[in-house]
């Protein structure tokens, strides 16, 4: 959220901020669903959390190295956000 607020004119910050926001929303939704189905969905929850961690680390790496690459699936969702 900080890149979106701190530097709203930067295309680079908007790009990475929007993707990070999508990852955050996915994490919240997954945690809520897994909380409802703790016993059934626990193995799936662990795999999805691992996916979120990997995607987050990849996005952080791209942001710090100055690269502007779309994260698969998440980048397409992030493009739909307009401020």
């Amino acid at each position: 959220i900080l890149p979106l607020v701190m530097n709203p004119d930067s295309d680079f910050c908007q790009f990475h901020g929007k993707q990070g926001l999508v990852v955050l929303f996915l994490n919240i939704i997954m945690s809520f669903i897994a909380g409802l189905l703790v016993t059934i969905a626990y193995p799936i929850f662990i795999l999805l959390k691992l996916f979120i961690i990997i995607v987050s680390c990849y996005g952080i790496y791209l942001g710090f190295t100055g690269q502007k690459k779309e994260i698969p699936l998440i980048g397409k969702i992030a493009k739909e956000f307009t401020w």
Side-chain angles (χ1 to χ4, degrees), residues 21-53:
L21 202 57
V22 171
V23 171
L24 175 68
F25 287 146
L26 287 175
N27 192 11
I28 291 170
I29 291 168
M30 285 184 343
S31 295
F32 179 75
I33 292 171
L36 295 175
L37 306 169
V38 174
T39 56
I40 299 169
Y42 189 72
I44 296 169
F45 175 71
I46 295 297
L47 291 175
L48 291 175
K49 278 291 194 178
L50 183 61
F51 172 74
I52 291 293
I53 291 169

Side-chain angles (χ1 to χ4, degrees), residues 3-4 7-20 59-69:
L4 297 173
N7 204 349
D9 298 329
S10 171
D11 184 45
F12 182 77
C13 287
Q14 293 293 310
F15 178 80
H16 284 287
K18 288 177 184 179
Q19 287 193 123
I60 291 168
Y61 168 76
L62 291 176
F64 279 125
T65 57
Q67 299 178 43
K68 189 177 175 184
K69 293 183 183 176

